């Protein structure tokens, strides 16, 4: 039994194996209707709880569909409707749920909630986003890059905007998959220094660059995310926009990257804010492949967690 909590705490060889399995499962399904079950049913007789303490479209649907394709069943639970949202402890919730279900995916607030759940649960726990990380997203991103352009190892990836939860997982992935990472954003929104330390300890180059045009020179991949995350106070919106407007991914910025550079965004996007529609809908954008690959990557993550 494995927990999938964060990219820097998961073995790099296992992460590579998950991506490879995701790709082969995707290939095996080619041309089938989306509701078609996978030929082998590795999650048959498995019940998976999907807990959401924040909104979600992709994570919710891709986990639910992924479990069903593999022959399992899901319970989609909203944190606010559980006793969890009304004072029951995480530890007790973990112990109770472990008596009913075979695996738990949770989208929550503090990373400590995820870790407490994993500590007290007897079943695998998967991180479906916290305030500090979004590892399932980045597994899909690595898969998507490699599907289009081959190995990500040695490539230059540029993150523009807020050094947020998704950015942290991307920096962890830089260390684990061996790509260089440039962060382009203002100092006040710099990414987690511990994540940077981790990636550098693995021998990759992590660069902080305040000038977006300079940052994207020679980039193989540009990645953006919302400027205001779900856990951020909405009162920061105007200030964030003023701080981040020079980091918008538009055609002029993308033109500074390599000719074959790709653009990714975990979605949901705010068109004409962090990215223009011309980039999102343009030839270098792979955002919908990226969204699709959440399904395939997470199916492989769940198999790895359960060892099936
Ligand atoms: N990218 C992502 O996690 O999307 P949702 O918030 O819709 O799940
Ligand atoms: N950084 C964003 C990602 C959403 C999928 C957030 O946490 O709101």
């Amino acid at each position: 039994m494995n927990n999938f909590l964060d990219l820097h705490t998961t073995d790099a060889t296992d992460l590579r194996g998950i991506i490879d399995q995701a790709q082969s499962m995707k290939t095996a399904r080619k041309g089938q209707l989306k509701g078609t079950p996978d030929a082998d049913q590795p999650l048959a007789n498995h019940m998976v709880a999907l807990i959401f303490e924040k909104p979600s479209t992709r994570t919710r649907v891709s986990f639910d569909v992924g479990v069903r394709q593999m022959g399992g069943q899901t319970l989609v639970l909203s944190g606010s409707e559980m006793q969890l949202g009304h004072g029951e402890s995480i530890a007790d919730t973990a112990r109770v749920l472990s008596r009913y279900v075979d695996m738990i995916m949770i989208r929550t607030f503090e990373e400590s909630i995820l870790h407490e759940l994993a500590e007290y649960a007897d079943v695998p726990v998967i991180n479906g986003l916290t305030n500090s990380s979004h590892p399932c997203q980045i597994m899909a991103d690595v898969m998507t890059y490699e599907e289009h352009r081959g190995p990500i190892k040695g490539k230059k990836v540029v993150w523009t905007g807020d050094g947020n939860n998704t950015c942290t997982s991307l920096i962890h992935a830089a260390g684990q998959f061996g790509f260089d990472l440039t962060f382009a954003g203002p100092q006040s929104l710099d990414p987690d220094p511990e994540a940077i330390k981790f990636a550098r300890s693995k021998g990759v180059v992590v660069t902080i660059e305040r000038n977006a045009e300079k940052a994207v020179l020679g980039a193989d991949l540009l990645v953006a995310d919302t400027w205001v995350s779900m856990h951020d106070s909405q009162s920061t919106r105007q200030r964030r926009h003023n701080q981040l407007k020079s980091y918008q991914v538009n055609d002029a910025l993308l033109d500074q990257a390599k000719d074959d550079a790709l653009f990714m965004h975990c979605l949901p996007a705010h068109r004409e804010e962090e990215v223009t529609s011309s980039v999102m809908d343009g030839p270098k954008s792979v955002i919908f492949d990226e969204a699709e690959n959440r399904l395939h990557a997470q199916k492989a993550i769940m198999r790895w967690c359960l060892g099936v």
Side-chain angles (χ1 to χ4, degrees):
M1 177 191 117
N2 293 302
N3 294 314
F4 188 78
L5 302 182
D6 270 306
L7 296 183
H8 65 305
T9 51
T10 305
D11 183 78
T13 313
D14 286 2
L15 294 175
R16 168 50 57 197
I18 290 169
I19 299 277
D20 294 346
Q21 182 169 42
Q23 194 57 60
S24 66
M25 289 174 79
K26 179 175 182 177
T27 306
R29 287 191 60 83
K30 220 172 173 163
Q32 291 184 3
L33 287 175
K34 294 173 184 67
T36 311
D38 291 352
D40 56 341
Q41 294 278 276
L43 260 62
N45 304 317
H46 286 80
M47 182 63 74
V48 184
L50 309 174
I51 305 174
F52 290 92
E53 297 200 273
K54 291 175 180 171
S56 169
T57 297
R58 280 143 288 269
T59 306
R60 179 183 165 140
V61 177
S62 57
F63 265 104
D64 199 345
V65 169
V67 171
R68 289 163 193 247
Q69 285 181 354
M70 295 194 291
Q73 295 185 66
T74 57
L75 283 167
V76 183
L77 304 162
S78 144
S80 61
E81 288 164 7
M82 297 170 70
Q83 299 293 8
L84 177 64
H86 299 274
E88 185 165 19
S89 75
I90 294 287
D92 288 347
T93 304
R95 289 184 280 225
V96 170
L97 289 182
S98 298
R99 301 293 178 103
Y100 302 134
V101 303
D102 302 290
M103 185 156 54
I104 304 169
M105 190 288 312
I106 185 165
R107 165 167 288 194
T108 188
F109 297 97
E110 300 303 329
E111 186 93 356
S112 58
I113 299 174
L114 171 80
H115 287 281
E116 194 177 343
L117 191 77
E119 186 183 340
Y120 289 96
D122 299 329
V123 297
V125 172
I126 298 175
N127 177 357
L129 180 146
T130 70
N131 294 359
S132 314
S133 60
H134 197 3
C136 290
Q137 179 66 53
I138 298 303
M139 291 297 278
D141 291 12
V142 170
M143 177 182 172
T144 307
Y145 184 85
E146 296 199 331
E147 196 172 56
H148 284 269
R149 294 284 185 268
I152 198 165
K153 192 173 165 64
K155 300 292 181 187
K156 175 179 174 177
V157 177
V158 178
W159 174 276
T160 67
D162 176 22
N164 64 14
N165 45 6
T166 315
C167 179
T168 295
S169 290
L170 184 66
I171 297 171
H172 290 155
Q176 297 292 50
F177 290 97
F179 57 85
D180 294 337
L181 191 282
T182 299
F183 169 81
Q187 188 173 8
S188 57
L189 299 175
D190 270 351
D192 176 15
E194 288 302 316
I196 296 176
K197 212 189 284 176
F198 168 80
R200 287 181 177 154
S201 77
K202 298 286 177 185
V204 299
V205 179
V206 180
T207 309
I208 305 287
E209 175 57 65
R210 305 290 171 220
N211 180 292
E213 280 77 25
K214 263 198 217 164
V216 303
L217 289 175
D220 297 286
L221 170 63
L222 261 69
V223 189
D225 188 6
T226 180
W227 286 344
V228 183
S229 285
M230 291 182 274
H231 60 274
D232 290 322
S233 153
Q234 287 304 310
S235 64
T236 62
R237 182 166 283 277
Q238 195 51 54
R239 186 160 47 89
R240 287 278 175 100
H241 280 232
N242 294 335
Q243 285 175 301
L244 287 167
K245 58 180 183 248
S246 63
Y247 299 97
Q248 182 193 63
V249 182
N250 49 38
D251 290 317
L253 190 67
L254 194 50
D255 279 350
Q256 304 291 317
K258 280 191 183 158
D259 288 345
D260 67 348
L262 296 177
F263 171 74
M264 288 191 203
H265 190 306
C266 65
L267 305 178
H270 303 77
R271 288 173 179 256
E272 315 312 331
E273 292 184 12
E274 71 270 12
V275 56
T276 59
S277 282
S278 60
V279 168
M280 282 186 73
D281 302 328
K284 294 180 175 177
S285 168
V286 289
I287 54 174
F288 298 112
D289 291 338
E290 187 187 358
E292 176 184 339
N293 285 337
R294 293 292 302 278
L295 169 69
H296 308 294
Q298 288 158 191
K299 285 170 70 179
I301 289 168
M302 289 190 276
R303 293 188 70 160
W304 174 80
C305 284
L306 290 164
V308 293

